[in-house]
Structure formats: structure tokens, C-alpha cells
Amino acid sequence: YALGVVAFHMIAGNLPFEGTHYEIQEAHLRAEPPALDARRAGVPPELAAVVGLMLGKRPDLRFPDLRSVSQALSAIPRDPVPVLRERLARLL
């Protein structure tokens, strides 16, 4: 989940939730994050879907591990996301 927040921030330029510390905590617990492609034009829908899955509220519906995230990112056409892929690959 935390990596999804970082990826969202890297791509959108802002965090998925805003407000007071309490409001942000509540949003992380209860609110659905905004769609990444709604926050930044030009984001490929496949990338928005990967980040959206990373930000899922239920842990059992998220990627099971970082390798799965890397594989999902690798399935996205290379041109739109090379910088993100390189940055996330450094975390492996």
C-alpha cells in the first residue's frame, strides 16, 4: 500500500489524499483513492490500474509482493513509464 502511495505521488505530483493529519488518516482507512489518470492527464490506463490495485483497501486484493508489481509494470508498454519502472526497480 505504501509503495502505491509513493507511486501515486511520483506520477501525479501530489498525494492521493489531502487535508488535516486526521482527515488523511481517515481517508487512508476508509476512502477510495482518486483514479490516477483523473489526477494527471496522459497516464496510461494500464498504469493507473496497477497503482489503483496497489492502493486497494483490502490487502488480500493487492499485489502479493514487489515482484508481482514489477511484473505488472513490465506488461505496460515501455514508452509511457520508463522513469517510474526504473525508480521502482531500484527498490527490488
Side-chain angles (χ1 to χ4, degrees):
Y1 182 85
L3 184 58
V5 172
V6 171
F8 189 100
H9 191 203
M10 287 170 55
I11 299 165
N14 52 42
L15 294 169
F17 302 112
E18 298 175 353
T20 65
H21 289 302
Y22 176 77
E23 291 168 340
I24 293 170
Q25 288 175 346
E26 283 295 307
H28 279 292
L29 290 173
R30 302 182 201 312
E32 288 300 317
L36 180 58
D37 49 359
R39 285 276 183 98
R40 179 161 184 166
V43 172
E46 301 91 349
L47 178 58
V50 169
V51 174
L53 189 58
M54 294 168 72
L55 291 173
K57 295 298 175 203
R58 290 183 44 191
D60 60 316
L61 297 179
R62 291 185 215 136
F63 290 101
D65 51 40
L66 191 54
R67 177 158 296 167
S68 300
V69 173
S70 179
Q71 289 171 344
L73 290 172
S74 295
I76 298 172
R78 292 198 65 82
D79 290 341
V81 292
V83 173
L84 175 64
R85 185 178 293 109
E86 289 172 20
R87 290 179 183 174
L88 290 175
R90 289 184 210 144
L91 299 174
L92 288 174

